[in-house]
Amino acid sequence: MNLMCPARILLLPGDVQDPVVGDRIAQVYAGPFEVAAGTRLADHLGVRLTVVPELAQRPDEELQAIADLHRGETVVVLGADLGLKLPAIVEHSGDGWTRVPTDNEVTLATYEQASEKFRESIPKEPNELLIDLLAEGVAPGANVLELGSGTGRDALELERRGFVVRRTDATQAFLDMMRADGYDADRLNAITDDFGGPYDAVFSDAVFLHFDRAQLAGVLRKALRAAPVLAFATREGKGEEWSNRNLDLPRHFVMWQEEPLRELLAATGWNVEQVRRSESRIGFWFSVLATRA
């Protein structure tokens, strides 16, 4: 059996609402109880849907048959239970199904291992430019959800200015760091978790640059449901890159040009109020204030 170029299978829950689909998808497969969701997704992606009657009863055999048809391609499957937390990307290794970590999961693993080195590498001052933007959208006393609080640097300044901040991060090491400093902080993965709320604003400094374009679209839709105001900073540039800069471990970065970023915000329900461009030692940044359309 040729295993040199296996198929990648993106497993999604059968009740998927806002699918985060970044790869080019060759086809959508669904079990008999997931036909409606599969039809919506296939129509959205512009690909064919195939219903697999025995998918729930024989997931291993049916997934293997699908993989054999799609070597070197990525397909979506709804309704297969391999005992994994979904969404998940799997490949067949020859001995069974192996979960493939996403680029974002590799990046989070780097932050888990190098949180102290990260704290030492970043400026000690908060992002005053982004906080100034937020202050133009909401008044002191506003409830703010911070995605990716990291070391807690920005949250301190937000609170100093009178905002009520919910600190969150997907990295346990950063949660432990903030809690050791005496602050409450909640585990929240912006890609996979619900944001809760409602809040007056969502704030995120240098976090969206780790999300691919499909992931960011999903995060922006969730932010729209959570709050009427959004303030975030992300990298300007072209394409994507892996870098070991500062932490000596890999992190994945996604850069943006202004017009595509504006288009994505509009497509996910946001009006762009301001975009401010700034420069740091690693390049140029966009700081964005947006309001619910």
Side-chain angles (χ1 to χ4, degrees), residues 10-287:
L10 173 56
L11 300 177
L12 294 178
D15 58 351
V16 61
Q17 296 296 318
D18 291 326
V20 175
V21 180
D23 295 345
R24 182 173 181 178
I25 303 300
Q27 195 166 333
V28 174
Y29 291 85
F33 299 107
E34 289 77 28
V35 174
T39 299
R40 290 193 299 271
L41 181 58
D43 289 346
H44 173 71
L45 296 173
V47 299
R48 178 185 172 192
L49 169 69
T50 298
V51 179
V52 184
E54 299 297 319
L55 185 60
Q57 289 75 28
R58 304 184 307 172
D60 287 312
E61 294 91 333
E62 297 296 348
L63 288 177
Q64 184 60 68
I66 292 168
D68 289 342
L69 288 173
H70 293 281
R71 296 199 178 279
E73 297 178 320
T74 300
V75 297
V76 172
V77 176
L78 287 76
D81 184 6
L82 295 181
L84 300 173
K85 181 180 179 181
L86 302 183
I89 296 174
V90 297
E91 292 179 353
H92 202 281
S93 62
D95 298 320
W97 295 100
T98 301
R99 189 179 188 280
V100 180
T102 65
D103 294 342
N104 187 256
E105 288 169 343
V106 173
T107 300
L108 289 176
T110 287
Y111 284 122
E112 290 285 11
Q113 297 175 68
S115 59
E116 288 294 342
K117 187 177 289 187
F118 176 76
R119 176 153 64 174
E120 294 167 2
S121 72
I122 63 172
K124 299 296 184 282
E125 301 78 20
N127 188 335
E128 298 278 3
L129 173 59
L130 185 60
I131 295 171
D132 287 344
L133 267 185
L134 178 70
E136 294 186 21
V138 289
N143 288 306
V144 177
L145 168 66
E146 184 179 23
L147 299 176
S149 298
T151 65
R153 178 195 66 179
D154 288 332
L156 289 172
E157 177 61 17
L158 287 166
E159 289 174 338
R160 190 191 70 78
R161 297 198 191 192
F163 298 108
V164 179
V165 182
R166 181 190 176 197
R167 293 167 170 81
T168 72
D169 208 281
T171 303
Q172 187 62 45
F174 286 138
L175 297 178
D176 293 342
M177 184 182 294
M178 288 184 282
R179 290 166 183 169
D181 289 338
Y183 301 98
D184 291 333
D186 298 324
R187 186 75 172 259
L188 192 153
N189 185 312
I191 296 172
T192 62
D193 295 337
D194 184 75
F195 291 177
Y199 309 95
D200 297 309
V202 173
F203 177 94
S204 192
D205 182 10
V207 175
F208 290 179
L209 51 78
H210 294 311
F211 303 155
D212 67 31
R213 283 154 175 78
Q215 289 169 340
L216 181 54
V219 169
L220 291 173
R221 292 189 188 100
K222 289 196 286 187
L224 187 76
R225 294 193 291 268
V229 175
L230 171 67
F232 70 93
T234 196
R235 285 273 303 279
E236 179 186 7
K238 294 182 179 180
E240 305 178 15
E241 70 175 14
W242 284 96
S243 174
N244 285 21
R245 181 179 55 246
N246 296 328
L247 304 187
D248 299 322
L249 288 168
R251 288 181 291 168
H252 187 247
F253 295 91
V254 179
M255 274 69 73
W256 285 89
Q257 295 290 291
E258 183 172 346
E259 281 311 307
L261 184 58
R262 285 179 174 271
E263 290 170 4
L264 180 62
L265 285 159
T268 51
W270 293 99
N271 286 327
V272 176
E273 302 296 336
Q274 291 196 55
V275 176
R276 296 185 186 174
R277 190 167 178 263
S278 59
E279 185 177 7
S280 74
R281 54 188 171 82
I282 63 170
F284 289 93
W285 294 77
F286 292 125
S287 294

